[in-house]
Amino acid sequence: MPVAAGQDCYCPDCLARLASESISQQLQTLPLREALALASRYRTDSALLEHIDYTLDAGNLVFSRWYHLKRGSCCGNGCRHCPYNRDSG
């Protein structure tokens, strides 16, 4: 990810937040089918990254839309950011 002119490097936490924002912006413009194709390349990544795959809310993991797309299917638990409920692709 390019940094702005005059910008120093980012700490891991700030870099993860910036990456999350970039991913979210890209996903807003993609139909579900294309977002799934993009995320499928990362499906084997087993490490969860805070701010990218999940955030913490009152001590609970809240999985991101990106995480659900990487997962590849709906788990049926009514997750807050589930992309399968609202897009048909």
Side-chain angles (χ1 to χ4, degrees), residues 16-79:
R17 288 175 195 269
L18 286 172
S20 176
E21 289 172 16
S22 178
I23 290 167
S24 293
Q25 287 175 355
Q26 286 183 315
L27 293 179
Q28 287 177 8
T29 62
L30 292 177
L32 180 59
R33 183 180 20 222
E34 290 179 36
L36 279 167
L38 176 64
S40 69
R41 293 182 250 166
Y42 302 94
R43 204 162 277 152
T44 59
D45 292 349
S46 60
L48 296 179
L49 301 172
E50 186 174 5
H51 307 297
I52 294 176
D53 294 309
Y54 71 94
T55 55
L56 291 173
D57 183 4
N60 297 310
L61 289 178
V62 177
F63 292 111
S64 67
R65 184 169 195 248
W66 177 246
Y67 169 82
H68 290 291
L69 290 166
K70 287 189 334 181
R71 186 176 188 278
S73 63
C74 180
C75 65
N77 288 323
C79 298

